[in-house]
């Protein structure tokens, strides 16, 4: 066993498991977790990885060219789409179309292969036309021709990792310190690996942020750039974006022209504390405000963004994608690439996002937003020294398009963790959503310490609830991997299918009672009691039984089955 699960937090374990594809090794890891920390979330994570690989026929997998052994008749369209992404040979792709035409003859599959052919063939032979669209197509209308934005640099110089440190109610939030600690770790390793001397730059924007500069330095920043203005007390999109982008280019206007045609004097202005055009990397918190700001800043700087990341590392990478290499069949090595890992399917799979230059266009800064809690808050080091820079920019009144004249601060959200009983409602209430929630509330009212929760399907679904129950269907009551994890003595799940993401949130309950019309629902496999029946008939019988003191689960099933 090459991986000891006990050495990792659950947030770190997912990315590590992504590199393990041997089922026997995964089973060993699972047993190690059971005999060690025995965390339900970690076990579910490992089990889902095992499920992915169980039953796969290794002999039928593709060879290095991507299509040897492909059995198109046995593959779904999604499987074919993933497989052909590895194939750069147009002739082999055309052979696959012929095989599909002679077999299942699915239009969707043939379109996927044809799109891959277009992607590969379209990169060959022609030099990219870098003129703006209004110059390439003067005969067309261009409603965005006057849009002002900072264009990508040509042969730009990039250095340092910038971290936007968000404040709320005048205080630095934890994720800001988490990112500083991770940035410090990344840049220390970066400087060792590349024999460089690049820095961590903290960015503070607000009405009273200068007092946080020392804290940023203590937690890993080499430089802190801050901008203060009384009008920046509350986050607003326009001024915050303009300030950050001005910091990133230090007052530079978009350069005029590219390459040899660039107009002299339009390059970014120099600054005393730095000798480069733009940051190499940027990190933002994946908070409500941070998500907005990260997308706006990266868009203004004409680069890309990997959102909601939980893992980061820097290394070199070799790419064969024709869009990035400039031609089919070529490999190109990219150096100092920030690998940004983000969870898919609620953390049970991970994607690694790369922001790479094209042959005719540079994508910098390489930017990511970071999920709060992904990294530890580092221990402060009061002895650290750092440079503090006050940013100077005249803020235009038109940037402040909205004025907050009054607001209420909400108290803490709903905490379901302290209840003895939790009644959770799922998509099975669709026949009468409001009545379903009323039944849940009536049942919860029969217990002294009880409350109502919901699944993600209720939170994100398009159900119409009447006002008196709508408050009980909000995200703050969501149970599962992306919601609350609870351990009540009794958990009643009505109309809940039992996806693995939901199981994570309630698996430690003392007793789980599931009510569902579908005997094949996944919750059947992990509930203590399964009532096959309609929740609109079963719940009233349970409520009646509690009121009379005589609960007959067989009778509650009303013609269904109790297991």
């Amino acid at each position: 066993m090459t991986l000891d699960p006990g050495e990792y937090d659950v947030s770190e374990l997912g990315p590590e498991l992504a590199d393990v594809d041997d089922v026997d090794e995964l089973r060993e890891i699972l047993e190690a977790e059971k005999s060690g920390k025995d965390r339900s979330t970690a076990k579910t994570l490992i089990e889902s990885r095992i499920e992915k690989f169980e039953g796969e026929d290794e002999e039928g997998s593709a060879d290095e060219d991507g299509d040897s052994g492909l059995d198109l008749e046995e593959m779904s369209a999604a499987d074919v789409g993933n497989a052909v992404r590895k194939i750069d040979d147009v002739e082999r792709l055309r052979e696959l179309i012929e095989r599909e035409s002679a077999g299942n003859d699915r239009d969707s599959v043939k379109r996927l292969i044809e799109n891959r052919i277009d992607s590969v063939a379209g990169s060959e032979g022609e030099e990219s036309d870098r003129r703006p669209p209004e110059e390439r197509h003067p005969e067309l209308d261009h409603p965005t021709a006057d849009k002002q934005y900072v264009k990508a640099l040509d042969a730009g110089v990039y250095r340092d990792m910038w971290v936007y440190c968000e404040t709320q109610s005048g205080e630095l939030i934890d994720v800001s310190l988490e990112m500083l600690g991770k940035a410090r770790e990344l840049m220390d390793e970066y400087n060792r690996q590349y024999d460089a001397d690049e820095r961590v730059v903290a960015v503070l924007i607000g009405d009273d942020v200068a007092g946080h500069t020392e804290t940023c330095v203590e937690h890993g920043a080499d430089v802190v750039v801050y901008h203060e203005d009384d009008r920046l007390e509350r986050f607003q999109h326009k001024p915050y974006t303009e300030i950050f982008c001005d910091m990133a280019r230090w007052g530079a206007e978009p350069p005029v022209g590219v390459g040899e045609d660039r107009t002299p004097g339009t390059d970014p202005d120099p600054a005393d504390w730095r000798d480069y055009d733009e940051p190499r990397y940027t990190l933002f918190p994946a908070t409500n405000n941070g998500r907005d700001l990260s997308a706006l800043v990266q868009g203004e700087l004409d680069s890309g963004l990997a959102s909601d990341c939980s893992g980061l590392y820097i290394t070199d990478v070799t790419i064969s994608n024709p869009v990035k290499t400039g031609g089919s069949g070529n490999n190109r090595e990219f150096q100092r690439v920030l690998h940004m890992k983000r969870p898919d399917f609620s953390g049970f799979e991970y994607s690694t996002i790369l922001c790479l230059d094209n042959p005719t266009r540079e994508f910098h800064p390489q930017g990511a937003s970071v999920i709060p809690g992904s990294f530890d808050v580092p221990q402060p080091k009061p002895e650290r020294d750092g440079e503090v820079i006050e940013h100077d920019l005249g803020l235009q009144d038109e940037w402040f398009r909205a004025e907050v004249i009054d607001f209420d601060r909400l108290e803490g959200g709903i905490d379901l963790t302290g209840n003895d009983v939790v009644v959770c409602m799922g998509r099975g209430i669709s026949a009468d959503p409001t009545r379903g929630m009323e039944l849940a509330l009536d049942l919860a009212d029969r217990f002294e310490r009880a409350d109502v929760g919901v699944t993600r399907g209720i939170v994100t679904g398009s159900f119409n609830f009447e006002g008196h129950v709508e408050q009980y269907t909000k995200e703050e009551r969501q149970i599962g991997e992306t919601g609350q994890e609870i351990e009540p003595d009794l958990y009643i799940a009505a109309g809940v299918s039992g996806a693995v993401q939901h199981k994570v949130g309630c698996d430690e309950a003392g007793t789980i009672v599931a009510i569902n019309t579908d005997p094949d629902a996944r919750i059947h496999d992990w509930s203590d009691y399964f009532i096959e029946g309609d929740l609109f008939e079963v719940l009233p019988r349970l409520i009646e039984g509690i009121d009379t003191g005589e609960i007959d689960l067989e009778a509650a099933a009303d013609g269904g089955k109790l297991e």
Side-chain angles (χ1 to χ4, degrees):
M1 184 178 68
T2 60
L3 189 155
D4 182 357
E7 296 180 356
Y8 300 93
D9 294 333
V10 174
S11 62
E12 300 171 330
L13 185 58
E16 295 297 328
L17 289 174
D19 297 325
V20 182
D21 54 12
D22 183 272
V23 174
D24 291 335
E25 184 176 353
L26 287 166
R27 288 198 180 101
E28 290 182 20
I29 295 172
L30 179 60
E31 290 304 316
E33 176 62 30
K34 289 180 178 178
S35 62
K37 294 186 176 181
D38 198 30
R39 298 163 294 181
S40 61
T41 50
K43 290 186 293 184
T44 301
L45 197 62
I46 302 167
E47 288 168 352
S48 69
R49 186 71 178 169
I50 293 173
E51 290 175 4
K52 175 180 178 180
F53 290 104
E54 274 185 334
E56 285 190 356
D57 183 358
E58 298 294 339
E59 294 181 359
S61 62
D63 68 4
E64 61 185 69
D65 290 317
D67 64 333
S68 175
L70 289 184
D71 187 352
L72 296 180
E73 294 193 2
E74 296 297 325
M75 297 174 69
S76 67
D79 292 335
V80 175
N82 288 328
V84 298
R85 290 171 59 189
K86 304 175 183 178
I87 306 175
D88 295 332
D89 189 304
V90 173
E91 290 304 319
R92 303 189 78 157
L93 290 166
R94 289 188 175 127
E95 289 176 9
L96 287 178
I97 291 181
E98 293 176 3
R99 285 167 51 188
E100 177 64 25
S101 298
N104 292 334
D105 197 27
R106 294 164 291 182
D107 290 338
S108 58
V109 171
K110 289 188 288 186
R111 279 197 301 270
L112 283 169
I113 304 173
E114 288 167 354
N115 290 340
R116 180 59 183 166
I117 291 175
D118 291 341
S119 175
V120 173
S123 65
E124 300 175 353
E126 295 184 6
E127 184 177 346
S128 175
D129 188 348
R130 303 184 64 186
R131 293 178 300 162
E134 55 268 23
E135 293 183 15
R136 284 184 279 125
H137 305 286
E139 72 281 5
L140 301 177
D141 291 332
H142 298 278
T144 61
D146 294 331
K147 172 176 165 50
Q148 296 298 310
Y149 65 98
V150 181
K151 298 179 181 178
L153 297 179
D154 184 46
V157 178
Y158 310 103
R159 288 172 59 85
D160 295 348
M161 176 174 284
W162 285 36
V163 179
Y164 172 64
C165 296
E166 182 179 343
T167 60
Q168 293 180 7
S169 301
E171 299 298 326
L172 277 172
I173 59 177
D174 285 348
V175 66
S176 298
L177 303 179
E178 294 168 12
M179 291 189 300
L180 284 174
K182 186 62 177 180
R184 178 74 275 147
E185 173 190 324
L186 289 170
M187 295 312 290
D188 285 346
E189 177 60 29
Y190 173 98
N191 290 331
R192 285 192 293 268
Q193 181 178 353
Y194 297 105
D195 191 23
D197 186 24
E198 299 195 22
R199 301 168 297 181
V200 174
V201 178
V203 175
L204 290 166
I205 302 174
D207 67 324
D208 185 18
V209 294
H212 298 305
T213 57
E214 184 175 337
T215 302
C216 290
V217 172
E218 291 177 352
H219 286 80
D222 299 302
V223 179
V224 183
V225 186
Y226 74 94
H227 189 109
E228 283 189 339
D229 189 291
D230 291 342
R231 293 170 292 178
L232 298 172
E233 178 184 4
R234 303 183 67 83
F235 174 80
Q236 293 196 45
H237 296 87
K238 182 66 173 177
Y240 273 66
T241 302
E242 292 288 349
I243 292 168
F244 193 107
C245 290
D246 190 77
M247 289 177 174
R249 289 243 179 113
W250 207 257
E253 294 296 326
V256 178
V258 295
E260 296 179 355
D261 297 327
R262 173 173 290 187
T263 302
T266 63
D267 292 316
D269 293 338
D272 293 338
W273 64 275
R274 73 184 217 198
D275 57 356
Y276 56 88
D277 298 326
E278 282 183 3
R280 187 185 298 277
Y281 315 111
T282 50
L283 300 182
F284 300 83
T287 58
N288 290 335
N289 293 341
R291 287 189 178 103
D292 285 358
L293 183 63
S294 60
L296 290 166
V297 166
Q298 293 299 111
E300 285 289 319
L301 296 178
D302 214 17
S303 188
L305 173 73
S307 60
D308 294 356
C309 296
S310 59
L312 301 168
Y313 63 96
I314 300 170
T315 190
D316 300 340
V317 63
T318 299
I319 299 294
S320 61
N321 187 323
V323 174
K324 298 298 181 182
T325 64
S328 177
N330 299 331
N331 288 335
R332 179 182 174 190
E333 183 181 35
F334 293 83
Q335 296 184 333
R336 313 181 188 209
V337 177
L338 180 62
H339 289 59
M340 301 164 279
K341 305 189 77 169
R342 68 180 312 277
D344 298 323
F345 306 110
S346 297
F348 295 103
E349 293 293 339
Y350 280 79
S351 298
T352 299
I353 311 299
L354 309 179
C355 186
L356 304 174
D357 294 342
N358 284 354
T360 57
R361 178 179 172 183
E362 299 176 9
F363 287 94
H364 280 81
Q366 300 174 36
S369 63
V370 175
I371 298 173
S374 297
F375 309 118
D376 294 331
V377 174
Q379 289 296 322
K381 296 181 178 180
E383 70 277 8
R384 289 194 83 253
D385 293 325
E387 185 175 2
V388 177
I389 308 295
E390 183 176 8
H391 176 255
D392 183 24
L393 175 68
L395 307 186
Q396 300 180 24
D397 290 338
E398 64 184 34
W399 293 352
F400 298 86
R401 300 167 181 170
E403 180 183 0
V404 178
I405 58 176
D406 192 19
F407 67 92
D408 289 326
R409 186 177 302 281
L410 297 177
E411 299 299 328
I414 302 299
D415 183 4
L416 300 176
T417 58
N419 292 285
D420 296 333
V421 179
V422 172
V423 181
C424 181
M425 306 304 288
R427 288 179 178 272
I429 66 173
S430 59
D432 191 344
T434 296
R435 177 58 180 157
M437 294 305 300
E438 289 174 341
L439 288 171
L441 291 166
D442 286 346
L443 180 57
D445 283 344
R446 265 58 183 182
F447 301 93
E448 184 175 349
R449 290 169 55 85
D451 210 334
V452 173
V454 293
T455 65
R456 183 167 180 79
I458 296 296
V459 174
T460 62
S462 56
F463 298 99
N464 291 318
F465 295 101
E466 293 182 15
H468 65 290
V469 300
E470 187 175 9
Q471 61 180 306
Y472 298 97
T473 66
K474 302 301 184 182
E475 186 175 9
E476 62 183 1
R477 291 179 177 270
Q478 180 180 323
I479 298 170
E481 174 72 16
T482 55
Q484 298 190 45
E485 297 181 19
I486 59 175
E487 302 178 12
D489 295 333
L490 174 62
Y491 186 72
I492 302 173
V496 176
S497 63
V500 66
Q501 293 90 335
H502 181 75
K503 180 174 182 285
V504 169
C506 60
D507 200 32
E508 296 300 318
T511 300
I512 299 176
V513 177
I515 303 165
N516 204 299
T517 57
D518 181 8
D520 296 323
R522 296 187 68 175
I523 199 170
H524 192 173
D525 297 331
W526 50 269
S527 57
D528 298 295
Y529 297 94
F530 183 85
I531 300 176
E532 182 183 337
D534 187 334
L535 69 88
F536 291 100
E537 298 175 358
V538 174
L539 290 182
R541 290 174 178 269
L542 288 179
I543 294 170
E544 180 183 356
I546 294 173
D547 290 341
T548 60
E550 300 178 358
I551 299 179
D552 186 344
L553 294 181
E554 291 282 4
D558 190 28
K561 293 190 298 182
L562 170 67
E563 300 181 24

